[in-house]
Every structure is written in structure tokens, then in C-alpha cells.
């Protein structure tokens, strides 16, 4: 999901290409997003002309070869709902844990710097269950407007893998 046109424009240069396609029965405009730095690679989007929703996404490697394609064959639009906490309206997420960061039992770490174009986009405390153990973790989201990275942090004394870390 795109995370706001202003954030995308800070990281990518956008060109409207002449090619238009009918995707999922909808007219789609072709946009080419070229990164402003070498941190990301080119992305071609075909967006619904009416809604702006991406109907096809082509991601290219550093060498210019197509490495990933996502495309809809059929789409039905329903009412759009947005959350104040997460404007990108992400898929269902783990249950929100009661309390806040202060109840995690540890001080969260923040990276000293983000990759070029990425910004912190929000955080929340979520519940998790792994290996029969339940706990809460801090989930932070960083994005450049197109790419999203989630970082989970939890109390190492209550790690989901038990007494020994994964190898």
C-alpha cells in the first residue's frame, strides 16, 4: 500500500508513462517510480484511474530485470475505512496489548539513523504467542511511502523462543 503521496515524492521521482492498461476490468494509468537514492530500485505501478489504488506492481532489481509482479485479475471496491493510528489500513494485525510502552519491562531501542528516505511512521504494543509463551512486543513501522518495514522488540527475559535464542 502506498503511504501518502507526499512521502513517496520525497523518496521517489514519479513519471506518468503513456501506456494504459485495463486491469481487473478497470482503466489503469502507468506510473514509474525511480528512487532518488540507491537505497531502493525502480517500481512500476498501474493505478486505477478512478481510485488511485495500485492494480499492478512491478519491482525491478538493481540490474533492471523484473524480480516481482503483483497484479489483480478481479477487484471489488467496498467502503473504505481508515484508522487514525495506521492510515495505510494494514491487514488484520495482532491484538493490541493493554498498557503502553512503559508496561513492556524494557526500554525500546531506536536506530541511530534510518536508510535514506525512510521515516518512523508509528508504533504500538501488540500481543504475541509463540512456543506456548504469551507476551507483548513493541511494533514499530518505518516507511519510505512505498516500502514498509516492521520492527518487533520484546523483553529478552520473556523471549518467544524460550531460554535459548534461535540459531
Amino acid at each position: 500500500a502506498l503511504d501518502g503521496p507526499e512521502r513517496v515524492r520525497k523518496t521517489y521521482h514519479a513519471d506518468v508513462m503513456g501506456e494504459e492498461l485495463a486491469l481487473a476490468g478497470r482503466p489503469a494509468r502507468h506510473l514509474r517510480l525511480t528512487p532518488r537514492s540507491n537505497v531502493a530500485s525502480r517500481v512500476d505501478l498501474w493505478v486505477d484511474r478512478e481510485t488511485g489504488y495500485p492494480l499492478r506492481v512491478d519491482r525491478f532489481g538493481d540490474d533492471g530485470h523484473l524480480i516481482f509482479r503483483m497484479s489483480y485479475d478481479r477487484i471489488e471496491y467496498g467502503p473504505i475505512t481508515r484508522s487514525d493510528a495506521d492510515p495505510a489500513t494494514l491487514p488484520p494485525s495482532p491484538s493490541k496489548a493493554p498498557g503502553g510502552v512503559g508496561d513492556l519491562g524494557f526500554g525500546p531501542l531506536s536506530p541511530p539513523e534510518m536508510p535514506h528516505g525512510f521515516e518512523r511512521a508509528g508504533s504500538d504494543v501488540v500481543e504475541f504467542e509463540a512456543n506456548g509463551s504469551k507476551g507483548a512486543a513493541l511494533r514499530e513501522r518505518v516507511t519510505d511511502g512505498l516500502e514498509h518495514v516492521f520492527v518487533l522488540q520484546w523483553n529478552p527475559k520473556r523471549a518467544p523462543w524460550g531460554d535459548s535464542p534461535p540459531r
Side-chain angles (χ1 to χ4, degrees):
L2 297 177
D3 199 30
E6 57 285 337
R7 187 172 278 155
V8 173
R9 278 193 292 265
K10 284 168 72 174
T11 310
Y12 295 89
H13 176 75
D15 290 307
V16 177
M17 308 304 284
E19 180 184 7
E20 292 201 13
L21 294 175
L23 293 167
R26 312 270 309 168
R29 175 175 285 157
H30 181 187
L31 303 176
R32 176 159 292 158
L33 302 178
T34 308
R36 295 184 185 273
S37 75
N38 63 357
V39 172
S41 296
R42 185 182 105 210
V43 177
D44 283 6
L45 299 172
W46 281 262
V47 297
D48 187 311
R49 287 185 58 93
E50 182 181 330
T51 66
Y53 189 81
L55 298 173
R56 177 172 149 183
V57 178
D58 288 352
R59 294 183 187 275
F60 295 85
D62 293 337
D63 61 0
H65 285 89
L66 179 68
I67 58 172
F68 173 82
R69 172 173 287 158
M70 184 283 309
S71 181
Y72 288 96
D73 294 326
R74 186 174 80 80
I75 192 164
E76 294 179 25
Y77 294 112
I80 297 174
T81 59
R82 299 226 182 240
S83 149
D84 290 338
D86 202 355
T89 309
L90 299 169
S93 63
S95 301
K96 300 283 193 275
V101 174
D103 296 327
L104 288 172
F106 69 96
L109 302 174
S110 292
E113 58 187 68
M114 299 280 181
H116 177 76
F118 278 77
E119 297 175 1
R120 187 173 177 275
S123 65
D124 55 5
V125 178
V126 296
E127 294 178 323
F128 68 84
E129 183 174 353
N131 298 326
S133 162
K134 291 184 179 184
L138 175 67
R139 177 179 63 178
E140 291 198 72
R141 181 169 68 95
V142 297
T143 182
D144 69 353
L146 187 62
E147 302 291 342
H148 303 274
V149 177
F150 291 90
V151 178
L152 292 175
Q153 297 180 50
W154 53 82
N155 187 333
K157 294 177 183 169
R158 290 181 260 165
W161 54 79
D163 293 335
S164 58
R167 296 187 189 273

